[in-house]
Amino acid sequence: VVGDVVIQGAGDGVIALSVATGRKQWLFKVKRDSVKLGVRGGLALADGVLYFIAEEKLSAVDVATQKKLWTIKAYARTTPSVDAKHVYVWSLDGILAVDRATGKQKWLAKASCDDKSFALTEDRLLARSDGKLTSFALATGKKQWAVGLDKPYSIGSCGPAVGGGVAVCILIDDNTDKRALVAVDVAT
């Protein structure tokens, strides 16, 4: 919710609906992809700018004017994560950090995409990658640590969560569906 509108991704773009009436206030149109989907994944909002994935690109759109500020190639079905200076998404090559002001790539961390979301701390990005909960430095994208269980465990179907300096993630045994909750001190 932004002011008096609810903003949602849709098949043909990003739509703003009146909180009071439910009527369309504006629509930022995007092209539908080969399976007739427009906006894929979730939306992120920071300082009046909306970030979303459509047409295999990360877009930044000014909510007040509905004008596109920039786009950069990104992976569909990713939900962007935002901090004070950057927006983070999966690309086909790994995790991409993009300058919010310019739309220029800051860094790319080579990693496999096990999930479509991240957890951010003051200095780390946590992601499920290569079957493990993995920490990357926000400043550089450098991998700091990874933790997982012995095979056949893989990371579960939801992204990591962080609170009180602890990251948690669910690991699932692919053969038995047995689940384990892993908690890790983020600093170590």
Side-chain angles (χ1 to χ4, degrees), residues 2-78:
V2 180
D4 60 350
V5 296
V6 174
I7 300 174
Q8 175 65 45
D12 53 354
V14 176
I15 189 167
L17 304 171
S18 167
V19 171
T21 66
R23 291 190 181 134
K24 179 172 76 172
Q25 301 300 298
W26 52 263
L27 173 68
F28 182 84
K29 287 191 166 245
V30 298
K31 293 179 186 172
R32 292 177 181 234
D33 65 16
S34 61
V35 290
K36 305 290 187 228
L37 295 175
V39 175
R40 314 255 333 241
L43 309 175
L45 177 71
D47 302 322
V49 177
L50 190 64
Y51 303 92
F52 60 90
I53 304 289
E55 305 168 45
E56 301 290 330
K57 292 179 267 187
L58 169 65
S59 293
V61 173
D62 183 293
V63 171
T65 64
Q66 296 90 55
K67 301 260 187 236
K68 187 184 296 183
L69 303 174
W70 52 258
T71 62
I72 189 169
K73 192 164 179 65
Y75 181 68
R77 297 178 302 277
T78 296

